[in-house]
Amino acid sequence: MADYIPKPEDKFSFGIWTVGWQGVDVFGSAVREPMPAERAVYQLASLGAYGVNFHDNDVFGFDASEAVREERIGAFRKALSDTGLVVTTATTNLFGHPMFKDGAFTANEREVRRFALAKVMRNLDLAASLGAATYIFWGGREGAESGAAKDIRAALDRYAEGLNVLCSYVREQGYPIRFAIEPKPNEPRGDILLPTVGHALAFISALEYPEMVGVNPEIGHEEMAGLNYAHGIAQALWHGKLFHIDLNGQHGPRYDQDLRFGAGNVRGAFWVLDVLEAGGYDGPVHFDYKPPRTEDDAGVWDSAAACMRNYLILREKVRAFRADPEVIAALAESRVASLAEPTLSPGETWRDVSAASVDADALGRRGMGYERLDQLALEHLYGIR
Amino acid sequence: MADYIPKPEDKFSFGIWTVGWQGVDVFGSAVREPMPAERAVYQLASLGAYGVNFHDNDVFGFDASEAVREERIGAFRKALSDTGLVVTTATTNLFGHPMFKDGAFTANEREVRRFALAKVMRNLDLAASLGAATYIFWGGREGAESGAAKDIRAALDRYAEGLNVLCSYVREQGYPIRFAIEPKPNEPRGDILLPTVGHALAFISALEYPEMVGVNPEIGHEEMAGLNYAHGIAQALWHGKLFHIDLNGQHGPRYDQDLRFGAGNVRGAFWVLDVLEAGGYDGPVHFDYKPPRTEDDAGVWDSAAACMRNYLILREKVRAFRADPEVIAALAESRVASLAEPTLSPGETWRDVSAASVDADALGRRGMGYERLDQLALEHLYGIR
Amino acid sequence: MADYIPKPEDKFSFGIWTVGWQGVDVFGSAVREPMPAERAVYQLASLGAYGVNFHDNDVFGFDASEAVREERIGAFRKALSDTGLVVTTATTNLFGHPMFKDGAFTANEREVRRFALAKVMRNLDLAASLGAATYIFWGGREGAESGAAKDIRAALDRYAEGLNVLCSYVREQGYPIRFAIEPKPNEPRGDILLPTVGHALAFISALEYPEMVGVNPEIGHEEMAGLNYAHGIAQALWHGKLFHIDLNGQHGPRYDQDLRFGAGNVRGAFWVLDVLEAGGYDGPVHFDYKPPRTEDDAGVWDSAAACMRNYLILREKVRAFRADPEVIAALAESRVASLAEPTLSPGETWRDVSAASVDADALGRRGMGYERLDQLALEHLYGIR
Amino acid sequence: MADYIPKPEDKFSFGIWTVGWQGVDVFGSAVREPMPAERAVYQLASLGAYGVNFHDNDVFGFDASEAVREERIGAFRKALSDTGLVVTTATTNLFGHPMFKDGAFTANEREVRRFALAKVMRNLDLAASLGAATYIFWGGREGAESGAAKDIRAALDRYAEGLNVLCSYVREQGYPIRFAIEPKPNEPRGDILLPTVGHALAFISALEYPEMVGVNPEIGHEEMAGLNYAHGIAQALWHGKLFHIDLNGQHGPRYDQDLRFGAGNVRGAFWVLDVLEAGGYDGPVHFDYKPPRTEDDAGVWDSAAACMRNYLILREKVRAFRADPEVIAALAESRVASLAEPTLSPGETWRDVSAASVDADALGRRGMGYERLDQLALEHLYGIR
């Protein structure tokens, strides 16, 4: 067995806001002290992380003066420099301040929309200066609780306009930055625009610079809609759009739990690793979780370390599964590889299949052997093979 | 108040399989007699329907001889002719026979995939001869219960290949037929490919003839994922892809209930009508529901009539809501129309907003008035305004 | 049509915390000013409310000095006296302070459990002095995110111990107060103890003074588990345990939305009224909702008024439905009243039915007419009958 | 590592209907041959099962003549005798025939209710003669799709009446049989009566012979409501009512998946074993699953064997977890055992805690260490400790 020690090539990253979450929720107040961004950096470095992701207001407050802003960024930069941690990714807080209560790019107030663009541009400058290659858009407040409040087609127009403007900005500045949209079905809004990976992928196809924009699917967000996250990222890979990933844990349709990676749908996590390995994903492996309110500072770091450890454990299992001769035989029994074979042979057209006939009853009787195959996977997950 | 009598211009249609459902489920056997397609046609006509939708095997059995097939089609044609009902839409049964237990276009068995294409082509011929303008693809068995059984990216390749071949077929035959994909998240498979409107829209953008393919969203299917159906069809309209709709009722994430239209999420239904009216949808208004097993033949027709009646009732309410001066004032209070105004003024670029500043606190304090607006909508739904 | 003006006999009440919610959630900060309890009282009185419900810390802060506590209670008392509003109900905040992060009665820390009892007793004194007849227990932090953290059977022992001690206290003080447990499946804990009406009812049967304890079911909480709230309160009534109700709105399994009453599952709300009317519930009609963050102070009061208005609208509809001769005929067609007839006739025992034989096929063919009946209900809801 | 071979003392049992499921669902026809009960018995015996559970109509058809009934029972008895398999449990099919479309004990038709009692009594005789100690009631059709169709309180009266009559029957016959109610929230009815473990436990407390009746919770059924199954059976144990268990797999709120045990919520399954071990459950370990439609006969037996194997694997893990010194230390750090200590010391009353004061801030700062503890559990599940 491996020792499960994170290495730089694993590209593990954390949002500053994850370990920095103080535990405020709808029903209770903060249980932990505020965490300056630089403290998160030093601690994450000591755990073996490779990089960090940040919102502008994870580093400095919404109302920070220029002097405070500079001081805070300076401390952040120094920590990055001291530790060698990479800023893999950045994003904008367009949800915390009351002015964003109705959204940012899709707020009914035009002034809010304009300010949101300015806020993103300013943080894009910082992100670029820190070397971030990916910039995330999680539109948590872009949505509605009721039907008349929001003209959805107009909202999609404005959403697209916003991203188009920002793509132009990045292009004209020459920043080597790509955008990634992070879908979520609901919470904190009753229904959020672009609720799933699919909706975001479709939306991207209608943008002005679709090649600059991909998706950042989060396990918990897809599972809140009861969707299979591994299927979701597989479709994103199929479209060439898996620009980033957010790993965590969730127990199906309920509030956004943001459990540490591994501590949710364990079988789902196994197949996530399988898709990432098979799909050749080589971006940052980002954990977007929240240490539960029951934890003190020590618990914060225990849970952060566990995210990386669980990833390494599951990766080892997935590799062992795919290398297991019994699995290889079972995959063949289940004709899994046959699906990679085109339905039409080279040179065939519809004419060649239009009269296809089969022994339907024989095909109906033939078992697929999936239970046996899946049990092998489960036994790899259990660590008994 | 109106009399809520269906008219041909309402374009109400029903699947033959809806009123024809015999009530077989996982736990019990048929409660109603088989219904020949022609009987469904005569009855639906008498209720005021405009059209029908059919699977090949709604008209004739999977194993029907040529003679039986012709006889059954003949009876169907005669009923259509006798009643003037239009075949708005057609589709293929690629899920009932055991041979399709692992899917059709994405079955691991290549023979199944080839036969599925042939089965569709043959029914496309019939659909074309009957004048159907839309052909639906509901891939109910295209999915998996376990992770290793299905290579999702290969499955999407095959799914796309299948649709591309069929687009070629339709083009070369010169059929004036468009395709519409009907998404569903799960049931009867553990997870189904293209689980939501969004996933299907994204997939279409990767097809060879994307202009020929749209979506056919079903209320229940989107609500099984906890998604807002009105938002889903609004996004489909935004993409120019709302080729067809399937209306019914559902109570959130659970088994596929297929309740009659209106008898589920009532407020959701109100906003569905609002989006359809505002979006100028003018395709068939198709009801894809199942009369509950508690009903006898009379109950079947009561429930079918109620689908249309509820549509007319809700349409009247939506129109009254939009015409209500108090609503118009409340929409203005909530700045709803402002969202249609581009965030950048004509000629502006990012430069013009990059320094946008606002009185954030004042904006944060300003209420949106959505509760008042939504209450007006609710009172129109209640019929007390 | 009625004018839908709240009257004292409607017994409408609001939690101080409902209209007082400032809008803090996991993703954003307060959007509204703090609301002193007395302001809520004056405003609610002006809207026509009959009573209020309060947590101790709705009136004074957790850390309030004795002097401040007295001052705040005094202002609250004066407002009650000025307006004539009744304190129908009271409860304790055992979830907001970080010390309760692992629960109160079931916290692993014994010190927390002891303090929780003291905190409740002190507020019971206040509740009694204010005339509250019902005291609510919502154990929002009584639960766990992970399996080993909480010994569930020990937790139920402690939960029961806590309630038993508090029952003794109330009995010995001679307070005319009954307790009501408010179930919730999850949020803010991963899984909460006594997650549904059923679990709470069962738990009560194991208490020392079961007659003193009932349930306070909340629409949203039951619907978060996909359960039928009307069925839940019907079972509570059947057990004689519907001591209080919390009305609001929710859209199925997702985060706790606390929408205003009516603005969620509208058909569900209709049947809630039907059960309350039929069951003779005559306790306070309590609204436990949260004005969305999009609202300013005016929106708060608009939404509060709408809760009461919607109740009156729905009550009128339910009464009209039950009085409608066509409904009465349809109920008879559906043999609904037959269910009230015992299966065994007076004097019969199992012997008399042991050889019961039937024409199973005839019974199988006989329709229940539920679709027609339900359509009549829906048309009353729509206001077109 | 153990060899995971089922032994009689493991008390593994299967419903005849589980391995015998032919794969009929709402969307497709049978994929497997009918399985005579005796074939299931021989095969299950060969896999190492200890017992079986059966519905009357798993052994003989609803319409079977007396002669056929006897012949079929004879073959079943012979197989039991040949193999030594025990009939641990029995139950009645009160859901398959169209006559039960509106329920059995709570059907609006009194004739149906009377016949249902007779049908149960007759099968109780058979169950007793076969030595079944537990008799299950799964009221799958006891429910409704719409609000007026069913008077819920009357339905609960009839449900209770039915069970009371059947308790009398068993008592008077002197059968050593206990009853167990199996809750389910929905499917095949829109909402089912007694939807969760909690509702069933509460209902039992209102029966005439509550000591004769317990619950049979099924993993999938509780998880369809998003509930924590381990918590559910812990509460059932707390009430002394865990008479039977139904193990399988499910992926949260959606259709009833009936996956093999282990192939669903894997972490949940770990904690199920933990509760069963800690709670001293010693009844049959019953698997109520359905081999997916993709499987042929070989797949049926592969999946059945895997249910037992997964149980043994998880049991081993749970025992190792509880014996691990690091876990023991972590449990102490998390003060888990403190919860077993009464909140009041011996002899204390409310007086002794009424003035309890604490250092609330210090308690608020103290971490619970749950993340570390849970990670240890997860690593046992992964098999890396």
Side-chain angles (χ1 to χ4, degrees):
Chain A
M1 281 177 186
D3 48 6
Y4 312 121
I5 305 297
K7 296 190 182 58
E9 58 267 35
D10 297 322
K11 296 192 184 167
F12 291 133
S13 70
F14 288 84
I16 297 295
W17 69 89
T18 63
V19 293
W21 187 55
Q22 292 187 255
V24 176
D25 66 21
V26 174
F27 305 96
S29 55
V31 296
R32 291 185 291 261
E33 297 294 313
M35 188 179 301
E38 65 271 21
R39 179 159 186 254
V41 171
Y42 289 116
Q43 292 278 341
L44 288 168
S46 75
L47 297 177
Y50 159 82
V52 291
N53 183 357
F54 74 101
H55 297 93
D56 46 0
N57 302 138
D58 296 338
V59 179
F60 48 88
F62 182 91
D63 293 317
S65 66
E66 279 306 296
V68 169
R69 184 177 183 274
E70 286 308 313
E71 186 274 329
R72 295 282 71 229
I73 292 173
F76 184 42
R77 275 188 201 278
K78 179 170 186 307
L80 293 166
S81 164
D82 287 351
T83 59
L85 243 62
V86 171
V87 172
T88 60
T89 322
T91 181
T92 329
N93 186 323
L94 297 173
F95 46 85
H97 192 281
M99 75 175 290
F100 297 123
K101 62 193 173 193
D102 184 45
F105 300 151
T106 68
N108 281 359
E109 292 278 2
R110 187 165 178 259
E111 262 197 295
V112 172
R113 302 199 298 269
R114 289 173 72 88
F115 177 75
L117 292 176
K119 192 169 195 281
V120 176
M121 283 188 270
R122 185 150 199 215
N123 205 47
L124 275 165
D125 297 343
L126 176 58
S129 83
L130 290 166
T134 309
Y135 202 88
I136 305 289
F137 293 88
W138 171 64
R141 299 275 181 206
E142 319 285 2
E145 285 74 39
S146 51
K150 197 65 60 180
D151 175 337
I152 298 302
R153 286 179 297 151
L156 292 171
D157 281 339
R158 293 294 79 71
Y159 217 148
E161 182 188 9
L163 288 179
N164 290 340
V165 168
L166 295 167
C167 282
S168 297
Y169 181 70
V170 162
R171 289 165 62 90
E172 295 187 28
Q173 299 299 321
Y175 294 153
I177 284 180
R178 298 195 302 181
F179 290 165
I181 296 173
E182 180 176 331
K184 191 176 184 185
N186 58 69
E187 194 193 3
R189 300 307 299 274
D191 292 291
I192 297 178
L193 294 167
L194 309 181
T196 75
V197 167
H199 294 77
L201 289 169
F203 174 75
I204 291 165
S205 73
L207 296 177
E208 202 170 339
Y209 305 102
E211 70 286 359
M212 289 179 67
V213 187
V215 290
N216 175 42
E218 177 173 316
I219 289 179
H221 294 178
E222 302 302 311
E223 294 189 350
M224 286 165 73
L227 299 177
N228 185 314
Y229 181 76
H231 286 201
I233 58 174
Q235 183 168 350
L237 282 164
W238 187 75
H239 288 279
K241 287 297 186 192
L242 191 65
F243 285 11
H244 201 265
I245 52 171
D246 268 10
L247 303 184
N248 58 15
Q250 176 75 14
H251 285 111
R254 62 182 61 182
Y255 75 101
D256 186 10
Q257 296 193 277
D258 277 341
L259 302 169
R260 76 187 191 282
F261 180 62
N265 176 1
V266 172
R267 299 197 78 203
F270 180 91
W271 296 112
V272 169
L273 264 290
D274 188 60
V275 170
L276 293 176
E277 287 281 299
Y281 174 78
D282 67 352
V285 171
H286 183 251
F287 300 104
D288 189 356
Y289 85 111
K290 289 190 172 65
R293 274 177 107 251
T294 50
E295 303 306 302
D296 60 12
D297 191 66
V300 168
W301 307 114
D302 285 345
S303 59
C307 287
M308 296 186 283
R309 184 169 166 84
N310 292 341
Y311 187 94
L312 295 173
I313 292 167
L314 286 163
R315 189 175 67 189
E316 182 186 59
K317 289 180 182 301
V318 160
R319 289 176 179 172
F321 169 72
R322 289 290 171 186
D324 181 342
E326 203 170 331
V327 169
I328 292 166
L331 287 163
E333 280 284 319
S334 294
R335 288 87 81 193
V336 172
S338 303
L339 193 57
E341 189 185 346
T343 301
L344 268 56
S345 302
E348 283 192 329
T349 71
W350 62 262
R351 281 173 191 82
D352 303 286
V353 287
S354 64
S357 78
V358 289
D359 182 341
D361 290 339
L363 280 169
R365 276 191 303 271
R366 198 183 295 174
M368 301 305 301
Y370 293 158
E371 287 294 286
R372 184 161 168 271
L373 176 59
D374 188 51
Q375 181 64 17
L376 289 169
L378 188 54
E379 295 188 7
H380 275 281
L381 176 61
Y382 285 151
I384 65 156
R385 290 187 66 87
Chain B
M1 281 175 185
D3 49 5
Y4 312 123
I5 305 296
K7 296 189 182 60
E9 57 266 36
D10 297 322
K11 295 192 186 169
F12 291 133
S13 71
F14 287 84
I16 297 295
W17 69 90
T18 63
V19 293
W21 187 54
Q22 293 187 254
V24 175
D25 66 20
V26 174
F27 305 97
S29 54
V31 297
R32 291 185 291 261
E33 296 294 312
M35 187 179 301
E38 64 272 20
R39 177 158 189 255
V41 170
Y42 288 115
Q43 293 279 341
L44 288 167
S46 74
L47 298 177
Y50 158 81
V52 291
N53 183 357
F54 74 100
H55 297 94
D56 45 2
N57 302 139
D58 295 339
V59 179
F60 50 88
F62 181 90
D63 293 317
S65 66
E66 280 305 298
V68 169
R69 183 177 184 275
E70 287 309 314
E71 186 274 328
R72 295 281 73 229
I73 291 171
F76 185 42
R77 275 188 201 279
K78 178 169 186 309
L80 293 165
S81 165
D82 288 351
T83 59
L85 245 62
V86 172
V87 171
T88 61
T89 322
T91 182
T92 329
N93 186 323
L94 297 173
F95 46 85
H97 191 280
M99 75 175 291
F100 297 123
K101 62 193 174 194
D102 184 45
F105 299 152
T106 69
N108 282 358
E109 293 278 1
R110 188 166 178 258
E111 262 196 293
V112 172
R113 302 199 297 268
R114 290 173 72 89
F115 176 75
L117 292 176
K119 192 170 194 280
V120 176
M121 282 189 271
R122 186 148 198 219
N123 205 48
L124 276 166
D125 296 343
L126 176 57
S129 82
L130 291 166
T134 310
Y135 202 88
I136 305 289
F137 292 89
W138 172 64
R141 299 275 181 205
E142 319 285 2
E145 284 75 41
S146 51
K150 198 63 59 180
D151 176 337
I152 298 303
R153 287 180 295 152
L156 292 170
D157 282 339
R158 295 294 77 72
Y159 217 147
E161 182 189 9
L163 288 179
N164 290 340
V165 168
L166 294 168
C167 282
S168 296
Y169 180 71
V170 162
R171 289 165 63 91
E172 296 187 26
Q173 299 299 320
Y175 293 153
I177 284 179
R178 297 196 302 180
F179 291 165
I181 295 173
E182 179 177 331
K184 190 176 184 186
N186 59 69
E187 194 192 4
R189 300 307 300 274
D191 292 292
I192 296 178
L193 293 167
L194 309 180
T196 75
V197 167
H199 295 78
L201 288 169
F203 173 75
I204 290 165
S205 74
L207 295 178
E208 203 170 338
Y209 304 101
E211 71 286 359
M212 290 179 67
V213 187
V215 289
N216 175 42
E218 177 173 316
I219 290 179
H221 295 178
E222 302 302 310
E223 294 190 350
M224 286 165 72
L227 300 177
N228 185 314
Y229 181 76
H231 286 202
I233 58 174
Q235 184 168 350
L237 282 165
W238 188 73
H239 289 278
K241 288 297 185 192
L242 191 65
F243 285 11
H244 202 264
I245 51 171
D246 267 11
L247 303 184
N248 58 14
Q250 175 74 18
H251 286 112
R254 63 180 62 181
Y255 76 100
D256 187 10
Q257 296 193 276
D258 277 341
L259 302 169
R260 75 185 190 283
F261 180 62
N265 176 1
V266 172
R267 300 197 78 203
F270 179 90
W271 296 112
V272 168
L273 263 290
D274 188 60
V275 169
L276 293 175
E277 288 281 298
Y281 174 78
D282 67 352
V285 171
H286 184 250
F287 301 103
D288 189 357
Y289 85 111
K290 290 189 172 67
R293 273 178 108 250
T294 50
E295 303 307 302
D296 60 11
D297 191 63
V300 167
W301 308 115
D302 284 346
S303 58
C307 288
M308 296 185 284
R309 183 168 165 85
N310 292 341
Y311 188 94
L312 295 173
I313 293 168
L314 287 163
R315 189 176 66 190
E316 182 187 58
K317 290 180 181 301
V318 161
R319 289 177 179 172
F321 169 73
R322 290 289 171 187
D324 180 342
E326 202 170 333
V327 169
I328 291 167
L331 287 163
E333 280 286 319
S334 295
R335 290 86 81 195
V336 172
S338 305
L339 193 56
E341 188 184 347
T343 301
L344 269 57
S345 301
E348 282 191 331
T349 71
W350 60 262
R351 278 173 193 81
D352 302 286
V353 287
S354 63
S357 77
V358 288
D359 182 342
D361 290 340
L363 280 170
R365 276 192 302 271
R366 196 182 298 175
M368 300 306 301
Y370 293 158
E371 287 294 288
R372 184 163 166 271
L373 176 59
D374 188 51
Q375 182 63 17
L376 289 170
L378 187 55
E379 295 187 7
H380 275 281
L381 176 61
Y382 286 150
I384 64 156
R385 289 187 68 87
Chain C
M1 281 176 186
D3 50 4
Y4 312 122
I5 306 296
K7 296 190 180 58
E9 57 266 35
D10 297 322
K11 296 193 185 169
F12 291 133
S13 70
F14 287 85
I16 296 294
W17 69 90
T18 63
V19 292
W21 186 55
Q22 293 187 253
V24 176
D25 67 19
V26 173
F27 305 97
S29 54
V31 297
R32 291 185 291 261
E33 296 295 312
M35 187 181 300
E38 64 272 21
R39 177 158 189 256
V41 170
Y42 288 115
Q43 293 280 342
L44 289 168
S46 75
L47 298 176
Y50 158 82
V52 292
N53 184 357
F54 74 100
H55 297 94
D56 45 2
N57 303 139
D58 295 339
V59 180
F60 49 88
F62 182 91
D63 292 317
S65 66
E66 279 306 298
V68 169
R69 183 177 184 276
E70 287 309 314
E71 185 276 327
R72 296 279 73 230
I73 291 173
F76 184 42
R77 275 189 201 279
K78 178 170 186 308
L80 293 166
S81 166
D82 288 350
T83 59
L85 244 62
V86 172
V87 172
T88 60
T89 322
T91 182
T92 329
N93 186 323
L94 296 174
F95 46 83
H97 192 281
M99 75 174 292
F100 297 123
K101 63 192 172 194
D102 184 45
F105 300 151
T106 69
N108 282 357
E109 292 277 2
R110 188 166 178 258
E111 263 197 294
V112 172
R113 302 199 298 268
R114 290 172 73 89
F115 177 75
L117 292 175
K119 191 169 195 281
V120 176
M121 283 188 271
R122 187 152 197 215
N123 204 47
L124 276 165
D125 295 345
L126 176 58
S129 83
L130 291 166
T134 309
Y135 202 89
I136 304 289
F137 292 90
W138 171 65
R141 299 274 182 206
E142 319 284 2
E145 284 75 39
S146 51
K150 198 63 57 179
D151 176 338
I152 299 301
R153 287 179 295 151
L156 293 171
D157 281 339
R158 294 295 78 72
Y159 217 148
E161 181 189 10
L163 288 179
N164 290 340
V165 167
L166 295 167
C167 281
S168 297
Y169 180 71
V170 162
R171 290 164 63 91
E172 296 187 26
Q173 299 299 321
Y175 293 154
I177 283 179
R178 296 196 302 180
F179 291 165
I181 296 173
E182 178 176 330
K184 190 176 184 186
N186 59 67
E187 194 193 3
R189 299 307 299 273
D191 292 291
I192 297 178
L193 293 167
L194 309 180
T196 75
V197 167
H199 295 78
L201 289 169
F203 173 75
I204 291 165
S205 74
L207 295 177
E208 203 170 338
Y209 304 102
E211 70 286 359
M212 291 179 66
V213 187
V215 289
N216 175 42
E218 177 173 316
I219 288 179
H221 295 178
E222 302 301 310
E223 293 190 349
M224 287 165 72
L227 299 177
N228 185 314
Y229 181 76
H231 286 203
I233 58 174
Q235 184 168 349
L237 282 165
W238 188 75
H239 289 278
K241 289 296 187 195
L242 191 65
F243 284 12
H244 202 264
I245 50 170
D246 268 11
L247 303 185
N248 58 15
Q250 175 75 17
H251 285 112
R254 63 181 60 181
Y255 75 100
D256 187 9
Q257 296 192 279
D258 277 341
L259 302 169
R260 76 186 190 282
F261 179 62
N265 176 1
V266 172
R267 300 196 77 202
F270 179 90
W271 296 112
V272 168
L273 263 291
D274 188 60
V275 169
L276 292 175
E277 288 281 298
Y281 175 78
D282 67 352
V285 171
H286 184 250
F287 301 103
D288 189 358
Y289 85 111
K290 291 189 171 66
R293 272 178 109 250
T294 50
E295 303 306 302
D296 60 11
D297 191 64
V300 168
W301 307 115
D302 284 345
S303 58
C307 287
M308 296 185 283
R309 183 169 167 84
N310 292 340
Y311 187 94
L312 295 173
I313 293 168
L314 287 163
R315 190 176 66 189
E316 182 188 57
K317 289 180 181 301
V318 161
R319 288 176 179 173
F321 168 73
R322 289 289 171 187
D324 181 341
E326 203 170 334
V327 169
I328 292 166
L331 286 163
E333 279 286 318
S334 295
R335 291 87 80 193
V336 172
S338 305
L339 193 56
E341 187 185 347
T343 301
L344 269 56
S345 300
E348 282 192 331
T349 72
W350 61 261
R351 278 173 194 82
D352 302 286
V353 287
S354 64
S357 78
V358 289
D359 182 341
D361 291 339
L363 281 169
R365 276 191 302 271
R366 198 183 296 175
M368 300 306 300
Y370 293 158
E371 287 294 288
R372 185 163 166 270
L373 176 60
D374 188 52
Q375 182 63 17
L376 289 169
L378 187 55
E379 294 186 8
H380 275 281
L381 176 61
Y382 286 150
I384 64 156
R385 290 186 68 87
Chain D
M1 281 176 185
D3 49 7
Y4 312 121
I5 305 296
K7 295 189 182 61
E9 57 266 34
D10 297 323
K11 296 193 185 168
F12 291 133
S13 71
F14 288 84
I16 296 294
W17 69 89
T18 62
V19 293
W21 186 54
Q22 292 187 255
V24 176
D25 65 21
V26 173
F27 305 97
S29 55
V31 297
R32 291 185 292 261
E33 296 294 312
M35 189 180 300
E38 64 271 20
R39 178 157 188 255
V41 170
Y42 289 116
Q43 293 279 342
L44 289 168
S46 76
L47 297 177
Y50 159 81
V52 292
N53 183 357
F54 74 100
H55 298 93
D56 45 2
N57 302 139
D58 296 338
V59 179
F60 49 88
F62 182 90
D63 293 316
S65 67
E66 279 306 297
V68 169
R69 183 177 185 274
E70 286 310 313
E71 187 274 329
R72 295 282 72 229
I73 292 173
F76 185 41
R77 275 190 202 278
K78 179 169 186 307
L80 293 166
S81 165
D82 287 351
T83 59
L85 244 62
V86 172
V87 171
T88 59
T89 322
T91 181
T92 328
N93 186 323
L94 296 173
F95 46 85
H97 192 281
M99 74 175 289
F100 297 123
K101 63 193 172 192
D102 184 44
F105 299 153
T106 68
N108 281 359
E109 291 278 2
R110 189 166 177 257
E111 262 197 293
V112 172
R113 303 200 297 269
R114 289 174 72 88
F115 177 75
L117 292 176
K119 193 170 195 280
V120 176
M121 283 188 270
R122 185 148 200 217
N123 204 47
L124 276 165
D125 296 344
L126 176 57
S129 83
L130 290 167
T134 310
Y135 202 89
I136 305 290
F137 293 89
W138 171 64
R141 299 275 181 205
E142 318 285 3
E145 285 74 39
S146 51
K150 197 65 59 181
D151 175 337
I152 299 301
R153 287 179 296 151
L156 292 171
D157 281 340
R158 294 293 80 70
Y159 217 147
E161 181 190 9
L163 288 179
N164 290 341
V165 168
L166 294 168
C167 282
S168 297
Y169 180 71
V170 161
R171 289 165 63 90
E172 295 188 26
Q173 298 299 321
Y175 294 153
I177 284 180
R178 297 196 302 182
F179 290 165
I181 295 173
E182 180 175 331
K184 190 176 183 183
N186 57 68
E187 195 195 5
R189 299 308 298 275
D191 292 290
I192 297 178
L193 295 167
L194 308 181
T196 75
V197 166
H199 295 78
L201 289 169
F203 173 75
I204 290 166
S205 73
L207 295 178
E208 202 171 339
Y209 305 102
E211 70 286 358
M212 289 180 66
V213 186
V215 289
N216 176 42
E218 178 173 316
I219 289 178
H221 294 178
E222 302 302 310
E223 294 189 349
M224 286 165 72
L227 300 177
N228 184 315
Y229 181 77
H231 286 203
I233 58 174
Q235 183 168 351
L237 282 165
W238 188 74
H239 288 280
K241 287 297 186 192
L242 191 65
F243 285 10
H244 202 266
I245 51 171
D246 268 10
L247 304 184
N248 58 15
Q250 176 75 15
H251 285 112
R254 65 181 62 183
Y255 76 101
D256 186 10
Q257 297 193 276
D258 277 341
L259 302 169
R260 76 185 191 282
F261 180 62
N265 176 0
V266 171
R267 301 197 76 202
F270 180 91
W271 297 112
V272 169
L273 263 290
D274 188 60
V275 170
L276 293 175
E277 287 281 299
Y281 174 78
D282 68 352
V285 171
H286 184 250
F287 301 104
D288 190 356
Y289 85 111
K290 289 190 173 65
R293 272 178 110 248
T294 51
E295 303 305 302
D296 60 10
D297 192 64
V300 168
W301 308 115
D302 284 346
S303 59
C307 287
M308 296 186 283
R309 184 169 165 85
N310 292 342
Y311 188 95
L312 295 173
I313 292 168
L314 287 163
R315 189 176 67 190
E316 182 186 59
K317 289 180 183 301
V318 161
R319 288 175 179 172
F321 169 72
R322 289 289 171 186
D324 180 341
E326 203 170 334
V327 169
I328 292 166
L331 287 163
E333 280 285 319
S334 294
R335 289 88 80 193
V336 172
S338 305
L339 193 57
E341 189 184 347
T343 300
L344 269 56
S345 301
E348 282 191 332
T349 72
W350 61 261
R351 281 172 191 82
D352 302 285
V353 287
S354 64
S357 78
V358 289
D359 182 341
D361 291 340
L363 280 169
R365 277 193 302 272
R366 199 183 295 175
M368 300 306 300
Y370 293 158
E371 286 294 287
R372 186 164 164 269
L373 176 59
D374 188 52
Q375 181 63 18
L376 289 169
L378 187 54
E379 295 187 8
H380 275 281
L381 177 61
Y382 284 150
I384 64 155
R385 289 186 67 88

